[in-house]
Amino acid sequence: MKRWFYRLFKAALVVLMILPDTTHYFAQGIVSAAPWVGSWSVAPSVTDDPGFNNQTVRQIVRTSIGGTSARIRVSNLFGTAPIVIGNARIARRTRGQQTVTGSDRAITFGGQPNVTVPVGASVVSDAVAFQVPALADVAISLYLPQQTPPRSTGHVDGLQDVYIAPGDVSADPAFSGGTANSAGGQSYYFLTNLDVQNPAATGAVVAFGASITDGLASRANTNRRWPNRLAIRLQRAGMTVGVLNQGISGNDFFTDDAGQAGLRRFDRDVLQQAGVKWVVISDDAVNNLLRDPPATSTQLIGALRQLIDRAHRANVKVICSTLTPFNASPEIESTRQEVNAFVQDSSSGCDAVLDQASAVGDPADPANFLPGYNSGDNLHPNEAGLQAIANAMDLEALAALPPIQAPSACGQLAPGQGIARGQRLTSCDSRTSLNMQADGDLTISQAGTAIWSAGTGGSASAELRMQENGNLVAFDSNGVPVWESGTSGHPGAYAYMQDDGSLAIYASNGVIWASNM
């Protein structure tokens, strides 16, 4: 018996010796069921840095939404050699390069404090329990122990001071020896994303564009880009929506002169963002009109159609922006107007429109900025103009659930009408009802007895909507379908709770679906 126990003890000891050290996971308490949603981002491109060696880079990011856990993404997408991150930390910032004492947390990668990022790749950190504040500054420090090649991956024109210090001072609240790097538009280096976990978050909206989106004419260290201002509006409206800036100054749809071409980078920079639900396609096309030769309206509309289609196939809604004026020649101005007419046409495929042109244009002279919104170059809006763009966003376009109207006739759900969780639609003889039950199930009942179920019990169903395309859909609170009738393609169709206990969908050619079919 003693020999058996001794062998068991030795085996257990060996197992404990080879298991990875997971103590830090439990100490930080990072387990969460909430999905990841982006709170801050920059679009990766090539910077003009001379390289780093045995230095710490402390970078300040302005969050849009908060959360209880955080993770970062570090990119070497355009690098020429692998880069080594020797240590990474996250903390609350007080002012300048200083952080709040006691707020600092270690960031790990696969349980380790260091990671090597291959050429052309990016890495996502482990989750770390960290109370991320909304609309506030967070400091992320990366220690780079080995020489990095010049012209690294990052983001030019970050408009935010970056602090650099010798050695590893990533955990030092004072960042001893650090100095501000205010050159090159205050570029970000290697860091591209901060994601959070927040059960209240309904998704992220990505602002995809060029210098107007990047906030080029706004003052550094003030966070007055229009996406930052939109984040403030959303918070004030009680909407927990992450706002991610993927603007690159000089970017356009077709060329790689300033970052990768918009058509090329769209999937990575938009569709692969954490929790993305919406994209605002903003000002890339303006730069195409400034090229020699300028793009045609056919080319620009074709690019927009392609991006709209790609976004919709990824279940991302598209908010199309009109192109702002820039005192163009009559021929180019005509092209701008043609593109704007397409964007505003109901057949464009855009789910909503952000009318930037009307927001900053002069009503008396639509080819030019309103003087109070002109930065002085006739191309970029000033800070007041950027605020006007943020104010022009219809926040209903960023609602997690499609807005529904209450039924207007007994037993019937016309297009746009629906019922929310806990509500019912009663047949005209009042004997049968369609119910969105508290447990998430969609049922039909007669005299208190269920006679049909959609099988969604235990789901997060939040509302049932008769869509304008003829499809009857149950959505969860994040706007994700959990059940549908599969009858899209019949505009004008309506649902009807019949006296005989059958729920039917009627189109112009009669019944196209019924619960008892």
Side-chain angles (χ1 to χ4, degrees):
M1 184 70 177
K2 289 182 179 180
R3 186 180 297 122
W4 174 84
F5 179 80
Y6 177 70
R7 288 176 178 172
L8 181 62
F9 176 77
K10 283 181 65 178
L13 183 61
V14 170
V15 170
L16 287 172
M17 290 175 65
I18 65 174
L19 280 174
D21 178 14
T22 58
T23 305
H24 58 282
Y25 287 105
F26 297 103
Q28 293 176 356
I30 63 177
V31 177
S32 174
W36 290 103
V37 177
S39 180
W40 170 90
S41 74
V42 289
S45 57
V46 178
T47 67
D48 54 3
D49 69 281
F52 303 96
N53 189 11
N54 188 29
Q55 293 171 294
T56 303
V57 181
R58 176 164 288 178
Q59 305 180 79
I60 310 302
V61 305
R62 186 71 169 184
T63 64
S64 55
I65 60 172
T68 56
S69 298
R71 71 179 186 186
I72 66 170
R73 180 182 293 272
V74 178
S75 176
N76 194 21
L77 182 64
F78 302 110
T80 57
I83 60 168
V84 176
I85 307 296
N87 203 357
R89 317 286 296 193
I90 185 170
R92 292 280 303 270
R93 180 170 87 139
T94 53
R95 59 190 298 269
Q97 63 190 16
Q98 300 174 0
T99 60
V100 177
T101 301
S103 69
D104 176 81
R105 298 289 184 272
I107 298 173
T108 59
F109 301 85
Q112 301 301 314
N114 50 52
V115 66
T116 299
V117 188
V119 173
S122 65
V123 296
V124 177
S125 76
D126 302 328
V128 54
F130 179 78
Q131 195 67 40
V132 180
L135 303 177
D137 290 339
V138 170
I140 297 174
S141 303
L142 303 177
Y143 171 54
L144 304 165
Q146 301 178 15
Q147 180 68 54
T148 66
R151 294 180 56 79
S152 60
T153 301
H155 184 80
V156 180
D157 296 321
L159 299 178
Q160 176 68 57
D161 284 344
V162 173
Y163 304 93
I164 301 171
D168 183 4
V169 292
S170 55
D172 180 7
F175 205 64
S176 302
T179 57
N181 177 15
S182 300
Q186 295 116 315
S187 300
Y188 285 99
Y189 304 110
F190 307 114
L191 179 69
T192 60
N193 294 81
L194 172 66
D195 302 331
V196 301
Q197 288 179 305
N198 183 334
T202 56
V205 54
V206 179
F208 177 77
S211 55
I212 294 175
T213 301
D214 222 4
L216 191 64
S218 62
R219 287 170 290 173
N221 302 310
T222 61
N223 299 298
R224 296 189 178 183
R225 313 163 191 87
W226 73 254
N228 293 112
R229 298 297 190 158
L230 174 61
I232 294 173
R233 284 194 65 209
L234 288 163
Q235 283 285 325
R236 289 175 176 171
M239 300 171 68
T240 310
V241 177
V243 181
L244 303 177
N245 193 326
Q246 289 292 298
I248 300 178
S249 294
N251 196 238
D252 67 40
F253 283 146
F254 308 125
T255 63
D256 291 337
D257 289 349
Q260 290 179 324
L263 289 179
R264 183 179 177 189
R265 70 184 181 95
F266 184 80
D267 287 12
R268 178 193 67 236
D269 290 353
V270 174
L271 304 184
Q272 294 178 18
Q273 296 293 333
V276 58
K277 294 288 182 64
W278 308 271
V279 58
V280 180
I281 301 177
S282 187
D283 53 314
D284 264 19
V286 171
N287 287 326
N288 286 117
L289 292 177
L290 294 170
R291 300 284 181 189
D292 186 15
T296 66
S297 60
T298 299
Q299 291 172 322
L300 296 179
I301 291 171
L304 287 170
R305 287 190 187 277
Q306 183 182 149
L307 296 182
I308 292 167
D309 178 65
R310 283 154 66 179
H312 285 168
R313 283 190 277 114
N315 200 29
V316 172
K317 292 185 177 180
V318 179
I319 302 166
C320 299
S321 294
T322 53
L323 304 182
T324 53
F326 51 94
N327 193 29
S329 67
E331 294 78 14
I332 295 177
E333 175 63 16
S334 176
T335 301
R336 185 182 75 91
Q337 295 289 356
E338 289 172 10
V339 173
N340 287 351
F342 164 78
V343 165
Q344 294 176 309
D345 191 279
S346 59
S347 65
S348 66
C350 303
D351 297 291
V353 174
L354 171 57
D355 195 355
Q356 295 194 31
S358 294
V360 300
D362 186 344
D365 184 11
N368 286 283
F369 278 109
L370 196 67
Y373 292 155
N374 193 342
S375 68
D377 64 3
N378 298 319
L379 178 62
H380 297 96
N382 59 19
E383 290 180 355
L386 294 172
Q387 180 70 67
I389 290 174
N391 290 344
M393 173 68 78
D394 180 4
L395 297 189
E396 286 295 325
L398 301 176
L401 286 170
I404 56 172
Q405 305 168 24
S408 57
C410 65
Q412 182 174 316
L413 294 179
Q417 296 181 349
I419 55 176
R421 194 166 179 144
Q423 295 181 339
R424 64 180 57 189
L425 175 72
T426 305
S427 61
C428 290
D429 68 358
S430 301
R431 296 178 56 247
T432 308
S433 63
L434 175 67
N435 319 290
M436 276 292 293
Q437 296 184 170
D439 65 356
D441 203 6
L442 177 66
T443 66
I444 297 173
S445 61
Q446 281 183 336
T449 301
I451 60 173
W452 177 86
S453 168
T456 56
S459 73
S461 297
E463 75 174 31
L464 180 72
R465 173 195 168 102
M466 188 65 213
Q467 294 186 276
E468 286 77 358
N469 64 2
N471 206 19
L472 184 65
V473 185
F475 294 94
D476 69 10
S477 58
N478 288 319
V480 177
V482 298
W483 176 87
E484 61 181 276
S485 60
T487 52
S488 60
H490 296 84
Y494 64 92
Y496 188 63
M497 185 66 254
Q498 300 182 154
D499 293 345
D500 64 3
S502 176
L503 174 67
I505 297 178
Y506 286 85
S508 58
N509 57 345
V511 176
I512 56 174
W513 180 91
S515 59
N516 61 358
M517 289 176 63

